[in-house]
Amino acid sequence: MSSLTGRITKNAKDLFKFLKETYMAWDRNDPFAQSAIIAYYTLFSLPSLLMIVTSIASAFIGAEAVQGRIHDEIARFISPEVAKSIEEMISNVTLQNDNWVTLIISIAALIYGATGVFFQMKKTMNTIWNVTEKKQNFKRMLINRAIAFGMVLVLGFMLLVAFVVTVLLNILTEYLSNFAPQVTVIFADILRFLVSFLFIAALFAAMFKILPDVKMGYKTTILGASITAILFLIGEQLLGIYFSSSNPASVYGGAASIVLVLLWVNYTCLILFFGAEITVQYAIVKKHRIVPSSHAKLAHTEEMEALREKEKQLEADKKKALELATNPEEEDTNATP
């Protein structure tokens, strides 16, 4: 019995130490400022992002079905008012096709706007994983935008899959309700929770795998994404209670929808970054080998190079100061016009 108690105490201490290290690392990266930045970019990226995502899914299941799905999800996560405002945003984003030059410019602007939020999120993920790019030039910027656009396509594909799974789930529950209505309700709730969990975990796994410039194993990725998904679902319930009870955007009148979007994205990013830090700390504890990509390097390498350059500069300044101190007359002569 004492041995079991000792193991439980040791595991509790290890867990507390792990969470403490995770929180300290999360706090050092200034997550509130990073979340605010991404919330700002999300506000401007949202119309373009949603238009591209809905266009991808609409090619298979129709525009009305996709927009209805997005409306329902946003209404569930945030509020019906925000869902209605975002639905109007999607309908207001159009491509001008008077001529091919205008069309190309419109498409480029649409893609640039849609990738903004993932482009910024990639930078934050690199900070969390303590890596930095070797070269930051126009070519690398285009590649990063392409990676961010890949996340947009992944989001569109996952929306399509989620819609199909939901339709199949509704058909199954309607069929089972003919035999056991009460049991079917519980069964449907459990299935919907599992579908939501798998969808969110898959999205986070894609973000952890695609966005940061590191080579990460699938085991670490899946575990980190699963923990982050659980934290997200818990946070979703808490945010729902907070929004419904305190109504934080009520004082903003017509801008209430914008405020709610900013608040929801801000809080969601805080959860996402904490989940990413858990993934990093887990990799450290388990000694998983995670290395930078070919075009990136560890951030401390760049810091060490800067320190070495600083040391060289200090040595040069010290040498010059000694020369001036031992040759004051020569310095005065050189200084005379």
Side-chain angles (χ1 to χ4, degrees):
M1 184 69 180
S2 59
S3 176
L4 177 61
T5 305
R7 286 199 300 270
I8 293 174
T9 303
K10 183 179 182 301
N11 291 335
K13 289 181 178 179
D14 291 341
L15 178 61
F16 176 77
K17 181 181 179 182
F18 176 82
L19 293 176
K20 179 183 175 182
E21 292 292 332
T22 301
Y23 175 80
M24 291 176 64
W26 175 76
D27 187 61
R28 278 196 301 270
N29 287 323
D30 200 3
F32 292 94
Q34 297 298 329
S35 298
I37 292 170
I38 292 176
Y40 173 82
Y41 274 93
T42 299
L43 189 63
F44 290 97
S45 300
L46 198 58
S48 302
L49 174 63
L50 289 176
M51 181 181 178
I52 292 176
V53 169
T54 53
S55 298
I56 294 170
S58 298
F60 299 91
I61 55 178
E64 292 184 2
V66 175
Q67 290 189 13
R69 170 77 180 185
I70 291 177
H71 178 278
D72 294 342
E73 290 299 317
I74 294 175
R76 184 168 67 90
F77 280 122
I78 309 178
S79 74
E81 293 78 12
V82 174
K84 184 178 179 181
S85 299
I86 291 178
E87 193 173 15
E88 292 176 356
M89 282 185 189
I90 299 175
S91 61
N92 289 334
V93 178
T94 58
L95 293 176
Q96 301 296 327
N97 55 3
D98 298 334
N99 56 69
W100 64 272
V101 175
T102 306
L103 182 61
I104 291 175
I105 293 174
S106 299
I107 293 174
L110 194 67
I111 294 174
Y112 188 84
T115 57
V117 60
F118 290 112
F119 183 75
Q120 293 301 318
M121 197 170 288
K122 176 180 173 63
K123 292 182 179 180
T124 305
M125 287 292 182
N126 279 344
T127 301
I128 292 173
W129 285 99
N130 197 34
V131 296
T132 183
E133 295 180 353
K134 293 179 180 177
K135 294 181 180 180
Q136 295 182 351
N137 49 33
F138 183 71
K139 179 182 177 182
R140 192 66 231 164
M141 188 271 290
L142 290 179
I143 293 174
N144 287 338
R145 285 286 174 176
I147 293 171
F149 186 64
M151 275 303 308
V152 177
L153 298 180
V154 168
L155 189 61
F157 174 76
M158 291 181 65
L159 177 65
L160 175 62
V161 172
F163 181 85
V164 173
V165 171
T166 302
V167 171
L168 294 176
L169 179 61
N170 290 336
I171 294 173
L172 178 61
T173 52
E174 286 179 6
Y175 174 76
L176 293 177
S177 63
N178 296 325
F179 304 97
Q182 295 180 347
V183 177
T184 302
V185 172
I186 300 174
F187 176 74
D189 290 340
I190 294 174
L191 277 182
R192 288 192 180 91
F193 175 81
L194 290 176
V195 169
S196 297
F197 170 78
L198 291 175
F199 176 81
I200 295 168
L203 179 60
F204 287 149
M207 293 172 67
F208 290 167
K209 195 69 178 176
I210 295 174
L211 292 181
D213 292 316
V214 295
K215 298 177 182 178
M216 193 190 322
Y218 284 99
K219 181 179 179 182
T220 305
T221 304
I222 292 172
L223 180 64
S226 299
I227 294 173
T228 308
I230 293 172
L231 293 175
F232 178 83
L233 290 172
I234 295 173
E236 173 200 340
Q237 296 299 322
L238 295 177
L239 285 176
I241 295 172
Y242 171 65
F243 285 156
S244 61
S245 60
S246 62
N247 194 14
S250 59
V251 297
Y252 293 96
S257 296
I258 295 175
V259 172
L260 284 176
V261 170
L262 290 173
L263 282 173
W264 189 83
V265 174
N266 204 327
Y267 295 151
T268 301
C269 285
L270 290 174
I271 296 170
L272 171 64
F273 297 152
F274 189 78
E277 289 288 359
I278 288 178
T279 309
V280 173
Q281 295 301 318
Y282 175 80
I284 293 173
V285 170
K286 294 298 182 180
K287 297 181 179 179
H288 290 177
R289 188 171 182 269
I290 298 174
V291 297
S293 302
S294 58
H295 55 269
K297 59 184 177 181
L298 293 173
H300 77 268
T301 304
E302 189 177 62
E303 294 171 1
M304 292 299 295
E305 291 175 355
L307 285 174
R308 280 192 286 268
E309 290 296 326
K310 186 67 175 178
E311 288 176 357
K312 291 180 182 179
Q313 183 65 39
L314 288 173
E315 287 295 328
D317 292 343
K318 181 179 179 181
K319 184 179 179 181
K320 182 179 179 181
L322 288 172
E323 289 176 352
L324 292 173
T326 55
N327 300 285
E329 294 181 1
E330 182 180 347
E331 173 63 19
D332 292 339
T333 304
N334 294 334
T336 303

